[in-house]
Amino acid sequence: MIDFDRLRRRPDVEAPELVAHDATDRLLLDVAEEALVAHPGHVTVVGDRHGALTLGAATLVGEHELRVHQDSYSGELALAANARALGSPARWASLDLEPSLVEGARVVLVQLPRGLDALDEIAQLVASHAHPDVQVFAGGRVKHMTLAMNDVLGRHFTEVRAGRAHRKSRVLTAAGPAAGPSRWPRREPHGDLVVVARAAAFAGPTVDVGTRLLLDTLASAPVEAERVVDLGCGTGVLAASYALDHPAAVVVATDQSSAAVASARATVEASGVADRVSVLRDDAGGSLPRGSADLVLLNPPFHIGAAVHTGISHKLFTAAARLLRPGGELWCVWNSHLAHRPALERIVGPTRQVARDRVFTVTVSTRR
């Protein structure tokens, strides 16, 4: 087995209270060990955060290649970095949440996602395309698990069992796939804007209230920018909306989430602005040129996993500062209780409040 304590989160947000593995990774590998050894060439890993599951499974399947889906691009980078640091001979292919990920799979390891919809999409995909004798091992921290997760798995598998809790983690085992039609992606019109969402995308096919406040504020402001970046774009609502309202603008929408990028691409296509909006999967816009934007739009997440944490927000503020030309503007909406203004002043430049309701604040920061 690998040395879990040597795993690191880089380039994901690092902090003393955030770890690169947890007891669920170890428990999943222990519970699934017999199945992994029996079917080493037909293993899929879903939801590995920083490489613990993939590298651990690799010690049991030997030279066989694993198929791996990580929603987070920074998670993919962390897996590769950890493999190098540990000198692991692991072989894997990083794939989207598509049939090729699970086709013919006999063993599927899943770090349970936070949302039931995300679990539903994973379970439906496995049930429809994996081997008829597939075994699914889905693990999570007990405090984040609900009986509804059993019900979701039960919609797609005839057998679902809950294992005993160990070190505050538990594994659900599912077998007997019952294939059915997919409910994903979903789409919802909002005037000229049509939002399309995969299951793991934030807010689904709706326009969340923070984004709505930012859009309403932009609509009443004299903002005309030719080069625009929607940073952490989610389903692409900000990018598509700005393109609809500003026909001369060229917009880049970027997110590290595979579900978000797939959703945003579908949103801009359905909204008729795919010729002016490009969508890129990237880690905080790292592949975009410095000073390449006149305007950055941002509705940053305030969770890392299940924890409320400002780390990702600050990482995105730093990215916005790099992307903006001097004098360019960052328009940002954030939960007021997080009090981001001092960080925006420090990282980006002079910041003013332009809107506020009982939950959210919209600020404009000018790149110094």
Side-chain angles (χ1 to χ4, degrees):
M1 193 58 67
I2 64 169
D3 183 352
F4 286 93
D5 291 335
R6 292 179 60 193
L7 297 175
R8 296 293 179 265
R9 296 171 55 90
R10 291 185 300 269
D12 205 351
V13 174
E14 290 198 285
E17 68 273 22
L18 301 174
V19 296
H21 66 92
D22 62 28
T24 304
D25 296 306
R26 296 174 184 264
L27 183 60
L28 273 167
L29 293 167
D30 288 345
V31 173
E33 180 174 359
E34 183 177 341
L36 289 167
V37 172
H39 305 289
H42 305 278
V43 178
T44 294
V45 179
V46 180
D48 191 4
R49 288 160 189 160
H50 302 95
L53 269 184
T54 302
L55 299 179
T59 66
L60 299 171
V61 304
E63 63 183 14
H64 295 279
E65 184 177 76
L66 299 162
R67 285 175 284 177
V68 180
H69 174 71
Q70 296 167 276
D71 184 65
S72 164
Y73 181 55
S74 64
E76 288 187 12
L77 297 176
L79 165 56
N82 281 320
R84 291 192 298 269
L86 271 58
S88 170
R91 298 175 60 239
W92 71 90
S94 293
L95 302 172
D96 289 332
L97 196 63
E98 303 291 348
S100 60
L101 174 70
V102 297
E103 195 166 24
R106 298 290 298 269
V107 182
V108 179
L109 305 181
V110 181
Q111 266 277 8
L112 282 166
R114 289 178 61 197
L116 296 178
D117 285 344
L119 178 59
D120 180 73
E121 186 175 26
I122 294 166
Q124 187 279 328
L125 186 73
V126 175
S128 296
H129 298 284
H131 192 280
D133 294 328
V134 67
Q135 295 180 79
V136 178
F137 301 90
R141 301 295 280 170
V142 171
K143 64 182 178 181
H144 302 311
M145 296 175 70
T146 67
L147 289 175
M149 291 178 171
N150 301 52
D151 297 335
V152 170
L153 289 172
R155 288 203 295 264
H156 302 284
F157 296 90
T158 59
E159 303 172 34
V160 179
R161 303 191 320 273
R164 297 181 62 183
H166 179 70
R167 295 182 61 191
K168 300 182 181 179
S169 292
R170 189 189 303 276
V171 172
L172 305 178
T173 303
S182 176
R183 302 163 58 226
W184 307 98
R186 292 180 178 173
R187 55 190 289 145
E188 185 175 312
H190 303 267
D192 292 336
L193 174 71
V194 180
V195 183
V196 185
R198 298 290 292 264
F202 172 70
T206 68
V207 179
D208 72 276
V209 290
T211 294
R212 175 61 64 193
L213 179 62
L214 179 53
L215 288 173
D216 290 346
T217 307
L218 276 167
S220 61
V223 179
E224 293 292 340
E226 294 183 0
R227 302 175 302 164
V228 181
V229 174
D230 179 0
L231 189 60
C233 66
T235 56
V237 170
L238 287 173
S241 297
Y242 193 89
L244 285 167
D245 292 340
H246 301 82
V250 175
V251 184
V252 177
T254 176
D255 203 297
Q256 70 159 344
S257 161
S258 174
V261 166
S263 302
R265 285 177 177 151
T267 292
V268 300
E269 181 70 33
S271 301
V273 293
D275 59 327
R276 293 184 291 111
V277 181
S278 57
V279 183
L280 174 68
R281 188 171 182 230
D282 202 357
D283 182 23
S287 67
L288 298 176
R290 179 182 296 274
S292 59
D294 304 310
L295 172 68
V296 172
L297 306 175
L298 176 59
N299 181 359
F302 58 92
H303 284 92
I304 297 180
V308 176
H309 200 283
T310 60
I312 291 180
S313 295
H314 289 188
K315 180 176 180 178
L316 292 173
F317 298 162
T318 300
R322 187 185 72 82
L323 292 172
L324 284 167
R325 62 166 175 78
E329 292 183 338
L330 166 63
W331 283 65
C332 184
V333 60
W334 37 274
N335 290 68
S336 300
H337 74 275
L338 295 175
H340 281 319
R341 187 165 177 172
L344 289 164
E345 295 264 6
R346 182 180 73 254
I347 297 170
V348 183
T351 298
R352 68 185 191 278
Q353 177 181 305
V354 292
R356 186 182 180 110
D357 63 16
R358 65 182 184 84
V359 178
F360 294 100
T361 297
V362 176
T363 52
V364 179
S365 302
T366 303
R367 180 71 167 94
R368 62 170 61 88

